[in-house]
Amino acid sequence: MASQELAIRRQEIFRNLASVRQRIEAIVGGKREARLVAISKLKPISDIRIAYEDGQRHFGENYAQELVEKSKELPLDIQWHFVGPLQSNKCKMLAAIPNLWAVETIDSQSKADLMNKACASRESPLRIFVQVNTSKEESKSGVPPEECITILNHVQGNCPKLQLAGLMTIGAPNRDPKEPNPDFITLKNLQTQFQETSGIELELSMGMSDDFEEALKLGATSVRVGSAIFGERPPKH
């Protein structure tokens, strides 16, 4: 990338990051912390370096191989989140990334067990989020809400190399914007239900570029924002 193009891109990403951070702060306002995960899938390493230069440390990727390659090229203090559909044969590959901060897409007991096994040589337990298909769409990954508590209990009781960190959902599009997002409400209710029985308060990873502000108002502790920071993504070939 030419130096002039890089300078323009830097200004754009800095400006977008500042806007997103201001919008987050306007809602949480020091009352609680909210994590911004910059979703950098299909974006060049140069974009991630610019966001890193502006203090961003949490980044999310959807494809295991892309995450592996980027993690080798970028600073070790980046805290990577895997947020794409988790394939069983990718657990070892992901567990080998030293600065993998969390896998947010555990959606079955078997995948929890495989990831637990893959993390055997990691020094400390790996944070995981259980992904819930709150909208019950066939096209989406995630455990059905009615099975969520069972998986949470399984991870807590049977996966010592995993740290149960939270719940994750992808809100359904094409809903009534005048009504509270039912996906976010479902996730919040599951958080409350698990806390009542276990005493553990899980994080809520919900909200993306189009709806992170509503997610924060409904209790999100982590939002996953891509296009509002980096612009639209190119199609994956």
Side-chain angles (χ1 to χ4, degrees):
M1 188 181 288
S3 58
Q4 185 175 0
E5 290 179 354
L6 189 62
I8 292 170
R9 186 64 174 147
R10 179 179 284 110
Q11 288 180 342
E12 181 183 5
I13 291 175
F14 278 19
R15 182 173 61 247
N16 291 345
L17 265 173
S19 173
V20 170
R21 287 166 175 162
Q22 287 167 4
R23 290 162 66 187
I24 292 172
E25 183 61 23
I27 294 168
V28 299
K31 296 188 290 288
R32 59 187 176 87
E33 290 188 15
R35 181 185 308 107
L36 171 60
V37 181
I39 303 300
S40 49
K41 68 175 181 181
L42 303 180
K43 290 297 181 180
I45 282 176
S46 57
D47 278 3
I48 301 174
R49 288 192 189 279
I50 291 170
Y52 178 90
E53 185 182 328
D54 197 35
Q56 183 65 29
R57 291 296 180 270
H58 287 270
F59 292 88
E61 291 285 340
N62 282 57
Y63 307 107
Q65 189 61 49
E66 183 179 359
L67 174 50
V68 169
E69 291 168 3
K70 285 178 173 176
S71 69
K72 291 176 181 176
E73 298 290 326
L74 288 157
L76 270 173
D77 64 333
I78 284 180
Q79 296 167 305
W80 293 106
H81 296 237
F82 183 73
V83 297
L86 180 62
Q87 297 173 285
S88 299
N89 63 349
K90 297 291 193 285
C91 289
K92 282 187 179 181
M93 180 189 296
L94 290 168
I97 299 170
N99 52 331
L100 180 66
W101 196 84
V103 169
E104 297 204 17
T105 48
I106 296 291
D107 61 1
S108 69
Q109 290 189 20
S110 61
K111 286 182 187 174
D113 290 339
L114 284 168
M115 184 57 73
N116 181 67
K117 185 178 179 181
C119 290
S121 61
R122 287 180 70 98
E123 289 185 11
S124 55
L126 174 67
R127 295 175 190 83
I128 64 100
F129 289 65
V130 171
Q131 181 177 0
V132 186
N133 187 353
T134 49
S135 55
K136 300 187 178 181
E137 295 173 83
E138 289 186 9
S139 61
K140 284 183 180 168
S141 302
V143 61
E146 59 271 17
E147 297 175 19
C148 177
I149 300 297
T150 299
I151 291 185
L152 293 173
N153 287 330
H154 176 81
V155 172
Q156 191 67 13
N158 300 280
C159 301
K161 297 301 290 186
L162 303 181
Q163 177 187 332
L164 187 57
L167 300 168
M168 182 271 234
T169 192
I170 301 170
N174 305 320
R175 60 179 188 82
D176 185 349
K178 298 174 186 175
E179 297 293 326
N181 190 314
D183 296 297
F184 299 162
I185 291 172
T186 296
L187 208 68
K188 180 70 175 173
N189 289 341
L190 288 168
Q191 178 200 44
T192 300
Q193 185 181 344
F194 186 67
Q195 186 173 2
E196 287 174 350
T197 57
S198 69
I200 299 168
E201 183 176 4
L202 297 174
E203 286 201 38
L204 296 178
S205 173
M206 58 190 194
M208 298 187 288
S209 289
D210 292 335
D211 56 12
F212 72 86
E213 287 162 303
E214 182 182 4
L216 288 166
K217 290 174 184 175
L218 291 173
T221 59
S222 187
V223 294
R224 310 181 306 276
V225 180
S227 58
I229 295 171
F230 298 113
E232 294 302 319
R233 298 180 192 91
K236 182 175 173 64
H237 298 297

